[in-house]
Amino acid sequence: MRKEVVLITGANGEIGHGLITHLGEQGNFGVIALDVQPLDEALRPYVEKFIQGDILDTMLLGRLVAEYEIRAVYHLASILSTKAEYNPETAHRVNVEGTLNLLRLSVEQSQWQGRPVKFLYPSSIAAYGLPDLASKNSAGKIKEHNWLEPTTMYGCNKLYCEHLGRYYTRHYRQLAADQGPTAIDFRCIRFPGLISAMTVPTGGTSDYGPEMLHHAAQSLPYDCFVRPDTRLPFMVMPDAIKSLLMLEAAPKENLKQLTYNVTSFSPTALEFHDIVLKAFPGAVIGFKPHAARQGIVDTWPADVDDSAARRDWGWQPDYDQVRSFDEYLIPAIRERYAE
Ligand code: SER
């Protein structure tokens, strides 16, 4: 008998840290963790096995299929929006071909098991693309099917992989004579900017939020790379993990769509700055907008409509803006850097 496990790619990333800690503490399933980087030592006790490797390595993925019964895949590995612009074709390979490899692995697993493997996929506000600031400022809360013209390679990759997930769930092998049950069970969340007290993101464009906070807590000066009036939706990591687990657990018949927005609060960069400065009064934070990164953020929504997630699977964040900073980010970051 192969062992029943959950597979997490991008295990060493920001969401991976939060998710592995949570699943490991629950202990219901063995966690198989995959990442190109070595796994953070702190996560080792929570995983049954860590594999250092690339999602483009199909031999490696093939060996995983042979060895384990994978019940669910959390495919978190990705090259984020800013980094992807420096090498768009490499980003495409990792973000799209890598996802395709994991989708194929899941299809194969579903066929072996005779039941659809759940495929949890974090997409992003980067899947949206508003043409100009006037549209961004007047669009209000954006629904899942509007403004889908991303301007970044990362955003294009995320949006296309959402389509791939839909294809593998509803249309895979549509011409085959032996039409079996659903191939996989793809479930996707479009995340806003995420902020964790434990980790700092690498290569994203919403990074000015978490970077401001983590720099201030370490008494390091920071220049924010967007204008003070820039507004983006954000959410703290415990809520991001909660949303993934809630969507995973939701009864399939309740899910009216495959992709859901979630969000919590939408501060301007200036409001973010003011909150951080209040918590760390000595902090030195300036604004030095980087034209190209500003351009990207200007195409992302100021707010998203997450009413479908609320309706279909009872989504609601635990942390609004005040709670996020007062009860999670500031105390946890203080403690982290005091160590
Ligand atoms: N936080 C991501 C980025 O900035 C968006 O999903 O790239």
Side-chain angles (χ1 to χ4, degrees):
M1 274 292 282
R2 291 175 309 168
K3 200 150 184 222
E4 268 202 42
V5 293
V6 166
L7 172 65
I8 302 181
T9 72
N12 207 42
E14 285 218 283
I15 304 177
H17 268 81
L19 187 64
I20 288 175
T21 311
H22 191 95
L23 291 176
E25 277 169 358
Q26 274 184 338
N28 296 341
F29 284 103
V31 171
I32 305 297
L34 180 65
D35 204 294
V36 277
Q37 304 291 342
L39 191 69
D40 188 338
E41 282 303 322
L43 297 177
R44 295 263 175 178
Y46 298 116
V47 306
E48 174 154 335
K49 188 172 171 72
F50 170 66
I51 300 156
Q52 187 168 350
D54 196 322
I55 52 171
L56 294 174
D57 181 348
T58 46
M59 288 296 286
L60 185 154
L61 298 181
R63 283 200 299 277
L64 274 182
V65 173
E67 212 170 318
Y68 295 100
E69 181 155 320
I70 299 168
R71 286 303 303 132
V73 176
Y74 291 85
H75 175 39
L76 313 177
S78 174
I79 295 186
L80 293 186
S81 56
T82 291
K83 201 169 165 202
E85 289 310 304
Y86 288 109
N87 200 335
E89 290 76 21
T90 300
H92 186 279
R93 285 201 70 204
V94 172
N95 293 347
V96 175
E97 289 176 38
T99 301
L100 194 68
N101 289 344
L102 268 302
L103 287 165
R104 282 193 56 83
L105 172 149
S106 304
V107 164
E108 217 177 303
Q109 280 280 319
S110 302
Q111 286 165 348
W112 275 101
Q113 295 174 32
R115 51 184 176 172
V117 163
K118 283 185 187 162
F119 194 100
L120 277 294
Y121 183 64
S123 184
S124 159
I125 47 166
Y128 296 107
L130 292 114
D132 46 49
L133 258 186
S135 309
K136 169 166 173 154
N137 291 335
S138 62
K141 288 175 179 287
I142 288 181
K143 283 194 187 297
E144 283 88 349
H145 53 274
N146 289 330
W147 303 104
L148 295 172
E149 286 195 24
T151 64
T152 60
M153 178 53 97
Y154 172 79
C156 293
N157 295 162
K158 285 292 181 189
L159 186 57
Y160 177 61
C161 287
E162 292 179 12
H163 287 302
L164 284 180
R166 180 172 54 78
Y167 171 78
Y168 275 96
T169 296
R170 295 185 179 153
H171 309 293
Y172 183 60
R173 303 189 79 239
Q174 55 192 302
L175 295 186
D178 60 333
Q179 280 283 319
T182 316
I184 61 164
D185 181 353
F186 179 83
R187 302 176 179 207
C188 166
I189 290 182
R190 281 198 199 131
F191 280 118
L194 297 180
I195 323 171
S196 167
M198 305 306 159
T199 48
V200 208
T202 42
T205 319
S206 58
D207 294 8
Y208 61 88
E211 282 176 0
M212 211 188 277
L213 188 57
H214 282 265
H215 277 73
Q218 297 171 85
S219 308
L220 299 170
Y222 183 69
D223 281 328
C224 178
F225 58 80
V226 295
R227 290 186 315 269
D229 65 300
T230 305
R231 196 183 287 281
L232 272 191
F234 280 97
M235 195 160 101
V236 290
M237 195 54 76
D239 274 335
I241 305 306
K242 173 179 147 165
S243 67
L244 277 172
L245 298 173
M246 282 185 81
L247 181 59
E248 195 274 340
K252 186 150 176 60
E253 58 275 16
N254 292 0
L255 304 179
K256 302 287 180 284
Q257 54 200 60
L258 299 186
T259 294
Y260 290 93
N261 286 335
V262 297
T263 191
S264 180
F265 53 96
S266 279
T268 62
L270 183 62
E271 283 163 7
F272 214 111
H273 159 275
D274 292 349
I275 295 168
V276 172
L277 207 62
K278 203 169 147 218
F280 302 99
V284 181
I285 307 167
F287 284 89
K288 267 206 192 143
H290 179 284
R293 294 180 97 185
Q294 178 75 56
I296 292 175
V297 174
D298 286 346
T299 70
W300 290 356
D303 201 358
V304 293
D305 182 334
D306 62 2
S307 55
R310 290 173 186 258
R311 177 198 67 207
D312 289 359
W313 40 279
W315 160 248
Q316 196 180 312
D318 286 336
Y319 295 88
D320 61 10
Q321 183 163 312
V322 171
R323 252 198 108 196
S324 288
F325 285 95
D326 292 358
E327 293 182 35
Y328 168 64
L329 290 169
I330 291 165
I333 285 180
R334 276 216 175 96
E335 194 184 315
R336 183 188 156 174
Y337 293 117
E339 279 165 13

